[in-house]
Amino acid sequence: MSASTGTRAGREVATTSSPASVVDGLMLLAGIYTAVSPWVIHFYRTNPYLTENNLIMGLGVALVALGTSLAPQRMHRFAWTLVPLGFWLILSPAVVTASHGVSAGIVWSNTCTGGAVCLLGVIAAIRVADASG
């Protein structure tokens, strides 16, 4: 067995194991929640720019999560992209709505979801790095 085959086998085990499935599932839930949060927290009328931001970011996170679930050997290399997406979710209420007031619910929702996305992205990226050698 060559080194490349061993690395590939290790990566496959790390990306298709039960903990990896849990991380992928939580990433998908975080993405879906982010996309629907303007309607859950009822700020879709008062902050249209933040509504668009959360919808696009949520769909992006969900897309990465689906990709890591459906094609783990190829897509887990992109798990690190969730870290900057999570940071943007944390910062976006202050940046996108600079001239508008945002409620505490919006800030808490984006901060908690962004923190979860960052953490899950770090966990997924570490799992892939450990599997690669």
Side-chain angles (χ1 to χ4, degrees):
M1 179 160 66
S2 69
S4 148
T5 307
T7 302
R8 194 173 300 144
R11 189 178 311 138
E12 182 177 345
V13 169
T15 58
T16 59
S17 65
S18 181
S21 298
V22 170
V23 171
D24 293 342
L26 290 173
M27 283 191 290
L28 181 62
L29 288 174
I32 291 170
Y33 173 75
T34 302
V36 300
S37 65
W39 293 273
V40 172
I41 304 174
H42 302 291
F43 65 86
Y44 62 96
R45 287 187 183 147
T46 58
N47 290 308
Y49 296 125
L50 192 58
T51 298
E52 291 173 11
N53 176 72
N54 279 17
L55 181 61
I56 292 167
M57 295 298 292
L59 292 175
V61 170
L63 184 65
V64 170
L66 278 175
T68 57
S69 294
L70 299 176
Q73 290 79 18
R74 293 176 183 233
M75 288 296 293
H76 266 280
R77 288 179 268 173
F78 295 107
W80 67 269
T81 60
L82 294 174
V83 177
L85 293 178
F87 279 128
W88 175 250
L89 281 172
I90 294 169
L91 295 174
S92 63
V95 175
V96 174
T97 61
S99 63
H100 303 93
V102 292
S103 68
I106 296 170
V107 173
W108 276 106
S109 175
N110 274 32
T111 301
C112 292
T113 307
V117 168
C118 279
L119 181 64
L120 292 168
V122 167
I123 291 169
I126 287 173
R127 291 186 59 80
V128 171
D130 287 345
S132 295

